[in-house]
Amino acid sequence: MMKRLGVRTALALCAMFAVHAPAFAQSGQRFALLVEGAPGDQAHADLQRRLLTSLKARFSDDYKLDKDHLIVLASTPEGGEGKATAIDVKSALARFTAAVKPLDTLFVLLLGHGNWDGTDAKFNLVGPDLTAGQWAELLGPAQGKVVFVNTTPASSPFIKALAAPNRIVITATDQPGQKFDTVFADAFVQALGAPTADLDKDSRISMWEAFAYASRVVRQTYEQKGLMQPEHAVLDDDGDGTGRQATGEGKDGTLASVTFVDAVIASRPADPELQQMVQKQEQLLLQLDALKKRKAQMKPEEYQPAWEALIIELATVSRDVRARLKDPKAASADPTN
Amino acid sequence: MLMTMTRRTFRQTWAGAALTGVCVLLAAAGVLAQAQSPAPQTAAAPVPLARAVRFALGHGNADEARRLVQQSRETANKKAVATALIAIYEGKDDDARRALTPLTVGETSDDDALVELGLIEIRHGRKDEGEALLQRVISSQSDLDTDGFLRLARAADATGDVNLANSVFQRIGSSETDRPDVQAQWGDLFLKTHANAEAARSYQDALRADENWIPALLGNARALADDDPDESGKALTKTQQLAPKSPDVWLLVAERQIAAQDFATAKATLDKVASFRAGWLEELALRAAALYAVGTAKDADPILAQAAAINPRSPVVARAVAAQAAQLYRFDDAVTLARGAVKIDPDEAGPHADLGSYLLRTGDEAEARTELEAAFKTDPYDTITFNLLQMLDTLEKFTVVKDGDFVFKFAPESAAVLTQYAVPLAKQAYAEYSERYGFKPRGPIYIEIFDNHDQFAVRTIGLPGIAGALGACFGRVVAMDSPKARPPGDFSWQATLWHEIAHVFTLQLSDYKVPRWLTEGLSQYEEHRRSAPWGRELTMQYSRELALGSQFTFKRLSESFKLSSRIAMAYFEASLVAEQLESMGGVTALRTLLTSYAAGANDTEAFTKAFGKTVPEIEAGFRAFVDQRFGSLRDALKDPAPKVADDDVAGLKARAEAQQGSYIAQTTYAAAALQARQADEAKRALERAAQLAPAAGGEDGPFALLAEMAAEAGDKTTARKHLRHLLDYDHDNLSAARTLATLAADGGATAELDFALTRIADLDPFDADAHTQLGRRELAQNRTERAIIEFASALALGPANLAEAHTDLGEAYLKAGRKDDAKKEAFIALEQAPTFARAQDLLLAAIGKAVR
């Protein structure tokens, strides 16, 4: 679709010299396990395959994960994929958790069905299933950050079971009894590539942005059909095992806001003039950040002009950077600067 | 929560009352010792004369009652009471009073006499005297049998203590299952306290005891009037057969005749009532209502004076005239008359409740609240009053937008978007109708748009529900569902608004005397004039009815508006009549028609004046118009012969080939071919069906199916063509519009994209994405003002991406030359997303630092 192609172009162009203000944004290596569980029938198999293919392309082509860092398990595996069985899941996680170091990030994304028997929530695999508790055990050894997204029905118990420090857990439902097919899976996959999901327009989609966007798509889908919304996705990232909805109250969201699937590209331009411009961009962003922190202590009539001056300057420099990127021979577009 | 007084809640209400205050009252009355069931009476026990007479009267047989008195060997006092009962039944209260008064003096007074005389005194405005007599019954009861309890209940009810009355009925009702009088009077108490379902249950209990018990049949007819009109009608018919001399029966018959606006027959029926029972306020009330309906408020004055002479403290007649005025949509009259009723008895809840509800329909919500609160203080059981007060609480939080002759009220969450859409549309309607109908209606015109359908229903009828209704107009007040009140794509709220504002004009121009079918027909026709598919949604169904032999007459059309099963088709047919009328004489004739009604003309006079033709001539002309307009579709929708089983693909194919002009033959074959996975065959048949019935809409219609098949085959151009056609008729098919938008966006078909996006935003103005997309399309075509509206709407709805939405709006402002606004939006966007390139460029352009 045109929309998706447009996104890729935009991401590629802007990410080159986008300045990612938060210094605590993730660095290190990225690992991902994508699991498409037992579909039940052909219609679900088709849908799940479509989503898995899209996700796989997103992680390998757009996010450029190393081949060795991406494991795809499917109900009906295609080239390079493994079988979505408990054994294969255990093996994949054993490999990844051993490899994931403190600054690394491991993404686990589940597509398919789940169920809740009153005691345990399970993700349905081909053959024996794994309970939320078993997934937690399997992830236990990982030293780095874990992003775990369960898009299935009855997924909410995974929040409590998997919650831990430095871990983001997202589930499609907030009630274990919600056993109907979810819209969230499709919505979350869309979110990872939707330019609109990029709330701060930094050309990257954080886990929080993807979660918020997907939650919105879910709500709209039900609203447009005139149906009650049975599924409400929740996110936990402070490790307390209590998730929050995107539009609800809650302490969660900070870690997810600075967690991205794509990598920071830290390369510097060779063009010295462009280098200066980019440095200026970075400085201005830091100044903006500092100003924001002082906002509470400042009078509005002091803060606002200072903020406006910085934002105008940043806009000007950024425009020049863009112009320079388009035409490396171009001088500053605005001679007044 | 709105109050729907269900059987359960009502029983609970009563149960609560019984547990709290009523037992105490009973104890004070010295009857707690009677808490057990009343003394059983053996079959052999002689029936007291008063009860026997009441039973005869309960069968509408006054002659039998008289015979019983004549043959009775009871005491003279008992016979005097019995005679008085017959006199009361026949409206001879003076005779009854003379007979009863001596029996109420001294310590050996007769309890029946006390109750009956007490009720007579109250009926004649001597409330204090009446209540004093009834209090004696209430306070001195002991050793009560069933009749004694019944007297106690009646006395309590008449003195306003409905809780005590109900408590008594609770005690005797369950044991006295063979006493229709007990059950029916309990039903009357429920009916009086607005618990119709409970009332109906009690009346049915009474009818189980005696299937011919007239008060129960009449009560049932009243209780079921709204919920089960057929059963209600049957009950009334039965009473006419069983008790042709009962004034109560004919009173209800007259009431129904007035409701049906058959005032001449009602007058004759009321004469019959008077012949059986003269000088009864209820009869005078209906008479006054009928006189008002065919004349003016002054015509009812003599009857009001007559009623005042009988009972100066009874508002019954004034209320009936006011109700009639309201029934005829003359709400200003209704308010004036209801004020009169309140003046007559300021302590009674009913007149305050009436006045409150009429004031609401004139738009005076502040005074309406005062009156409704006054009513609720006295009568907390009135569901409608309770609901209206709740609704007013909601309405107070609404956002008010005043614009010209309009006062709009929107739910706060919807106000920002609906203001952008509803206000211009209403103003457009006003301008259009002012010109067409040649006058400006009296304002202000209140437009209240509810996000909750039940709130709209309460605003309209005081109760939640009214399935199928989308809007209502009371002359100056319009209430309607907002697009949020129903699932998206369920209806076009714009068509509804257009329709209701037409009523403002036709009602006022005719001084509210236009027949219902005509005002609805004109409103529906005005919809169609505004947008071809509006108001013509039932084209297929109507043509099918024609194919089945339906024949038009004005009489049938008018009657169809009273039948829930026919009403949708009645609207459609009435709109065709309106179209035909305009084609006959132009809008001038329509104006003449309406002003003739205002001048008091009847149908024949009004039509002759407007069109120079008689009603039968117009009927004949209409049938010709329908033949010409719908003849071919009607023929295509005739049942094909022979009948073929749904799974006989070969048979269906042969029939479809043989009858290529039959829509049904084509679609039935297409369905079978699809089932048999013969897509090409199905497609051919669907294409033929589509040609035969261009108006065929719906998800299963030929256009929708052809579009789906084309899309699946990858032929998106054809899919778009079919969807575009489908939406020309099936205008509120939101899902088709969304599909078309997606296909058009993918295919770069901008005209179709614009059409689809506009349709989506019209039908579902709360779709933020549609506003954003539409705004971008408007901006691309330099329609900056439209773009600003769309982007502002998207922002009001909470867009997916705030930075993008503010930038969109800022860019539109910039294009419109509003640089300061553009800058403001850019700043907001950059506050969200400081590195957002589009917002940065917008800011630089807005402050004059754009790239040279």
Side-chain angles (χ1 to χ4, degrees):
Chain A
M1 281 173 62
M2 271 175 67
K3 231 179 192 175
R4 204 177 107 187
L5 285 173
V7 177
R8 287 181 181 180
T9 312
L11 287 172
L13 184 70
C14 302
M16 277 179 73
F17 300 110
V19 179
H20 305 298
F24 41 90
Q26 93 240 24
S27 53
Q29 302 197 81
R30 295 161 298 145
F31 298 81
L33 170 64
L34 310 178
V35 188
E36 183 255 322
D41 58 31
Q42 193 53 47
H44 286 93
D46 292 345
L47 172 69
Q48 289 176 200
R49 167 46 67 184
R50 177 172 67 76
L51 295 179
L52 183 69
T53 303
S54 168
L55 265 182
K56 207 169 121 181
R58 182 79 57 212
F59 275 78
S60 58
D61 302 346
D62 298 344
Y63 303 148
K64 304 203 183 302
L65 259 72
D66 290 348
K67 257 189 178 174
D68 293 348
H69 289 192
L70 176 63
I71 298 179
V72 178
L73 304 180
S75 57
T76 309
E78 294 180 0
E81 296 172 353
K83 186 87 172 169
T85 63
I87 293 170
D88 281 26
V89 167
K90 284 176 185 172
S91 149
L93 285 179
R95 203 182 106 199
F96 278 172
T97 53
V100 168
K101 302 290 176 248
L103 290 180
D104 297 343
T105 306
L106 168 61
F107 297 90
V108 179
L109 208 146
L110 311 186
L111 299 169
H113 296 286
N115 65 288
W116 162 253
D117 62 9
T119 311
D120 277 333
K122 292 175 185 168
F123 173 68
N124 300 153
L125 291 158
V126 178
D129 300 332
L130 290 174
T131 65
Q134 288 171 313
W135 281 94
E137 275 176 34
L138 292 169
L139 288 165
Q143 291 180 31
K145 190 191 296 181
V146 174
V147 178
F148 188 95
V149 184
N150 186 349
T151 66
T152 71
S155 48
S156 68
F158 279 72
I159 288 271
K160 205 161 198 71
L162 270 73
N166 204 25
R167 196 174 279 186
I168 300 163
V169 186
I170 296 172
T171 59
T173 76
D174 64 345
Q175 298 293 329
Q178 201 304 89
K179 58 186 181 184
F180 305 107
D181 286 351
T182 59
V183 176
F184 186 76
D186 199 347
F188 194 80
V189 173
Q190 276 183 49
L192 293 175
T196 303
D198 179 12
L199 296 176
D200 57 7
K201 306 310 285 183
D202 63 352
S203 305
R204 306 180 77 197
I205 295 168
S206 69
M207 284 299 105
W208 174 261
E209 287 173 330
F211 167 70
Y213 182 85
S215 299
R216 181 188 167 83
V217 169
V218 170
R219 179 172 56 77
Q220 267 184 344
T221 303
Y222 286 101
E223 271 178 9
Q224 289 181 358
K225 288 179 181 168
L227 299 172
M228 288 276 286
Q229 183 181 334
E231 56 176 287
H232 298 273
V234 282
L235 176 148
D236 175 272
D237 67 358
D238 63 359
D240 69 354
T242 303
R244 65 171 282 200
Q245 292 180 20
T247 51
E249 299 285 314
K251 295 176 290 174
D252 303 287
T254 308
L255 185 63
S257 301
V258 293
T259 302
F260 306 84
V261 191
D262 62 324
V264 179
I265 297 168
S267 63
R268 290 278 164 190
D271 175 355
E273 197 175 338
L274 188 55
Q275 257 184 26
Q276 276 187 349
M277 287 176 175
V278 172
Q279 268 173 6
K280 178 77 178 163
Q281 255 185 324
E282 287 172 350
Q283 281 167 9
L284 286 166
L285 272 170
L286 290 171
Q287 285 175 44
L288 268 175
D289 203 37
L291 183 67
K292 270 188 186 171
K293 283 178 185 155
R294 294 205 309 275
K295 186 178 180 182
Q297 285 83 50
M298 293 172 76
K299 289 179 184 166
E301 58 269 28
E302 290 168 359
Y303 173 80
Q304 193 60 24
W307 180 83
E308 286 182 8
L310 281 175
I311 211 84
I312 289 170
E313 202 178 345
L314 175 63
T316 311
V317 174
S318 301
R319 183 195 56 193
D320 292 347
V321 169
R322 288 193 294 273
R324 187 82 181 187
L325 280 168
K326 264 189 193 169
D327 179 5
K329 289 175 189 164
S332 171
D334 188 343
T336 59
N337 287 289
Chain B
M1 281 289 284
L2 296 169
M3 190 157 102
T4 38
M5 198 60 115
T6 62
R7 175 174 298 169
R8 189 166 59 85
T9 57
F10 195 73
R11 286 270 183 221
Q12 282 169 349
T13 308
W14 283 120
L19 285 170
T20 53
V22 179
C23 286
V24 178
L25 284 169
L26 284 171
V31 293
L32 201 55
Q34 300 288 319
Q36 305 308 314
S37 297
Q41 298 186 4
T42 62
V47 175
L49 178 59
R51 196 200 307 167
V53 164
R54 284 196 174 99
F55 269 61
L57 297 176
H59 289 94
N61 195 340
D63 293 339
E64 170 65 7
R66 258 187 289 276
R67 192 189 64 75
L68 286 168
V69 175
Q70 279 163 9
Q71 291 181 356
S72 169
R73 292 178 188 172
E74 293 235 32
T75 65
N77 283 359
K78 296 288 178 198
K79 286 173 100 168
V81 168
T83 305
L85 290 176
I86 300 168
I88 291 165
Y89 181 82
E90 293 181 332
K92 296 166 186 164
D93 278 355
D94 288 345
D95 292 353
R97 185 187 288 119
R98 272 192 296 278
L100 295 169
T101 303
L103 308 180
T104 60
V105 183
E107 286 189 4
T108 56
S109 57
D110 184 285
D111 287 338
D112 271 326
L114 282 169
V115 171
E116 299 303 338
L117 186 58
L119 294 175
I120 288 173
E121 299 297 10
I122 289 173
R123 251 191 335 263
H124 289 267
R126 294 182 290 273
K127 198 175 171 190
D128 293 345
E129 293 88 334
E131 287 192 351
L133 291 164
L134 295 170
Q135 277 304 333
R136 284 168 60 189
V137 177
I138 293 169
S139 58
S140 67
Q141 297 293 313
S142 61
D143 285 341
L144 293 178
D145 59 8
T146 300
D147 289 329
F149 273 115
L150 201 49
R151 279 192 297 272
L152 175 58
R154 293 177 70 210
D157 178 17
T159 54
D161 195 343
V162 289
N163 286 323
L164 175 57
N166 183 58
S167 189
V168 174
F169 277 122
Q170 282 177 329
R171 283 167 193 277
I172 58 174
S174 54
S175 57
E176 294 300 321
T177 52
D178 60 342
R179 288 280 299 263
D181 54 340
V182 170
Q183 304 300 339
Q185 287 187 50
W186 197 4
D188 291 344
L189 182 69
F190 280 126
L191 200 59
K192 177 181 169 179
T193 47
H194 320 285
N196 287 24
E198 278 301 315
R201 204 172 89 168
S202 290
Y203 292 131
Q204 277 144 21
D205 287 344
L207 292 170
R208 265 191 288 278
D210 181 345
E211 62 181 0
N212 297 331
W213 190 246
I214 300 300
L217 286 165
L218 291 174
N220 217 25
R222 288 184 197 282
L224 298 177
D226 291 333
D227 292 342
D228 192 347
D230 288 349
E231 201 55 38
S232 168
K234 274 186 209 160
L236 182 56
T237 305
K238 187 173 177 184
T239 61
Q240 286 170 265
Q241 290 156 358
L242 290 171
K245 290 183 178 176
S246 164
D248 297 311
V249 168
W250 294 109
L251 199 67
L252 184 53
V253 171
E255 197 178 307
R256 296 279 161 96
Q257 287 163 344
I258 288 172
Q261 304 200 3
D262 186 358
F263 301 112
T265 314
K267 185 182 173 302
T269 307
L270 288 168
D271 289 343
K272 201 184 279 188
V273 173
S275 73
F276 299 130
R277 180 190 292 160
W280 203 252
L281 283 184
E282 282 72 12
E283 179 253 311
L284 292 178
L286 292 181
R287 204 175 280 281
L291 278 172
Y292 169 84
V294 294
T296 65
K298 277 196 173 169
D299 295 316
D301 282 350
I303 309 274
L304 281 161
Q306 205 181 332
I310 294 168
N311 182 354
R313 296 182 65 178
S314 170
V316 167
V317 178
R319 286 184 69 189
V321 184
Q324 186 59 46
Q327 183 71 27
L328 295 170
Y329 271 54
R330 299 176 202 165
F331 297 112
D332 291 327
D333 271 6
V335 165
T336 307
L337 289 159
R339 283 193 210 285
V342 168
K343 213 168 169 185
I344 291 170
D345 189 353
D347 298 331
E348 200 177 314
H352 287 288
D354 294 347
L355 179 54
S357 72
Y358 304 150
L359 282 163
L360 272 177
R361 292 174 175 206
T362 64
D364 188 347
E365 283 159 7
E367 200 190 338
R369 175 185 279 284
T370 308
E371 292 302 325
L372 291 167
E373 279 172 351
F376 193 67
K377 232 177 241 176
T378 315
D379 179 6
Y381 300 108
D382 187 344
T383 316
I384 289 179
T385 299
F386 177 85
N387 286 345
L388 288 175
L389 283 167
Q390 290 269 75
M391 184 275 300
L392 281 172
D393 289 345
T394 306
L395 212 47
E396 270 184 7
K397 296 181 192 102
F398 273 32
T399 303
V400 179
V401 178
K402 291 183 182 169
D403 195 320
D405 294 290
F406 289 103
V407 177
F408 295 88
K409 295 190 179 185
F410 303 115
E413 309 77 47
S414 305
V417 171
L418 287 181
T419 302
Q420 301 279 8
Y421 274 73
V423 175
L425 186 69
K427 287 168 76 177
Q428 218 179 76
Y430 187 94
E432 165 92 9
Y433 295 143
S434 297
E435 194 182 328
R436 269 175 69 70
Y437 292 98
F439 95 115
K440 290 191 186 299
R442 187 183 151 198
I445 299 163
Y446 298 90
I447 311 272
E448 296 175 358
I449 304 187
F450 294 87
D451 282 357
N452 178 314
H453 174 75
D454 279 341
Q455 294 283 4
F456 153 67
V458 168
R459 181 67 176 87
T460 306
I461 59 163
L463 293 167
I466 51 169
L470 303 170
C473 173
F474 303 110
R476 290 197 303 276
V477 174
V478 167
M480 59 178 280
D481 275 346
S482 102
K484 259 192 196 165
R486 290 166 178 273
D490 219 33
F491 78 119
S492 163
W493 68 276
Q494 293 179 320
T496 303
L497 182 59
W498 199 264
H499 177 112
E500 299 305 336
I501 294 177
H503 280 309
V504 173
F505 283 77
T506 55
L507 287 172
Q508 290 202 27
L509 187 57
S510 69
D511 196 18
Y512 298 89
K513 291 175 186 163
V514 57
R516 184 177 175 202
W517 74 263
L518 182 55
T519 182
E520 295 297 359
L522 285 168
S523 278
Q524 195 89 348
Y525 170 52
E526 292 293 354
E527 281 185 51
H528 173 63
R529 287 190 69 257
R530 170 70 162 72
S531 170
W534 286 3
R536 293 294 154 91
E537 295 83 356
L538 297 185
T539 297
M540 291 291 285
Q541 291 88 329
Y542 183 68
S543 303
R544 172 70 179 154
E545 285 209 351
L546 294 175
L548 292 172
S550 166
Q551 279 288 328
F552 170 81
T553 63
F554 278 111
K555 189 167 181 287
R556 184 170 178 269
L557 174 60
S558 182
E559 283 167 359
S560 293
F561 273 91
K562 295 170 198 157
L563 302 172
S564 55
S565 59
R566 293 275 318 151
I567 195 155
M569 198 55 81
Y571 271 70
F572 181 85
E573 191 164 53
S575 81
L576 296 178
V577 174
E579 182 176 351
Q580 159 72 351
L581 292 177
E582 179 160 14
S583 74
M584 282 166 54
V587 74
T588 314
L590 291 180
R591 278 186 220 157
T592 307
L593 184 63
L594 294 167
T595 50
S596 300
Y597 279 116
N602 61 28
D603 292 338
T604 308
E605 293 160 351
F607 272 79
T608 307
K609 190 168 181 195
F611 303 102
K613 288 187 178 179
T614 63
V615 170
E617 281 171 339
I618 293 171
E619 278 178 351
F622 180 69
R623 283 195 282 267
F625 164 78
V626 166
D627 267 356
Q628 186 258 326
R629 173 71 63 88
F630 297 97
S632 58
L633 187 53
R634 175 200 59 206
D635 293 344
L637 290 173
K638 284 182 179 164
D639 284 324
K643 282 192 173 175
V644 182
D646 289 347
D647 56 354
D648 178 2
V649 183
L652 290 167
K653 181 178 183 178
R655 189 175 71 175
E657 292 298 334
Q659 297 187 46
Q660 299 205 355
S662 167
Y663 176 85
I664 295 172
Q666 302 309 321
T667 50
T668 47
Y669 173 50
L674 277 174
Q675 194 77 20
R677 297 186 179 273
Q678 298 170 7
D680 288 345
E681 286 292 304
K683 188 174 158 228
R684 269 195 330 134
L686 286 170
E687 281 169 350
R688 276 204 291 258
Q691 266 185 349
L692 291 167
E699 303 296 334
D700 301 328
F703 292 97
L705 291 173
L706 284 168
E708 201 178 318
M709 291 168 82
E712 273 174 18
D715 182 358
K716 292 184 178 173
T717 308
T718 303
R720 289 202 311 266
K721 184 190 85 181
H722 288 308
L723 288 169
R724 181 71 182 75
H725 176 97
L726 175 66
L727 285 160
D728 275 344
Y729 291 88
D730 198 356
H731 65 92
D732 50 9
N733 191 334
L734 188 56
S735 107
R738 289 195 202 284
T739 310
L740 178 59
T742 307
L743 291 174
D746 286 351
T750 51
E752 282 166 348
L753 178 63
D754 291 348
F755 169 83
L757 289 173
T758 305
R759 185 62 60 86
I760 294 167
D762 283 349
L763 291 171
D764 184 8
F766 300 102
D767 182 335
D769 294 345
H771 287 292
T772 300
Q773 287 189 63
L774 194 53
R776 288 175 184 168
R777 288 290 311 140
E778 300 285 10
L779 199 59
Q781 293 166 89
N782 292 320
R783 289 194 291 260
T784 48
E785 289 309 315
R786 284 300 318 165
I788 288 169
I789 288 174
E790 298 304 335
F791 290 140
S793 297
L795 262 174
L797 291 166
N801 193 304
L802 264 181
E804 281 181 5
H806 282 286
T807 307
D808 280 333
L809 182 58
E811 286 171 351
Y813 280 143
L814 189 67
K815 211 164 190 177
R818 294 165 62 177
K819 288 191 172 181
D820 285 347
D821 290 328
K823 185 173 111 180
K824 203 172 121 198
E825 295 302 323
F827 276 141
I828 300 173
L830 291 167
E831 211 164 358
Q832 302 286 326
T835 58
F836 185 21
R838 259 181 69 210
Q840 290 176 336
D841 287 346
L842 170 66
L843 175 63
L844 295 177
I847 62 173
K849 284 193 162 190
V851 180
R852 289 171 196 169

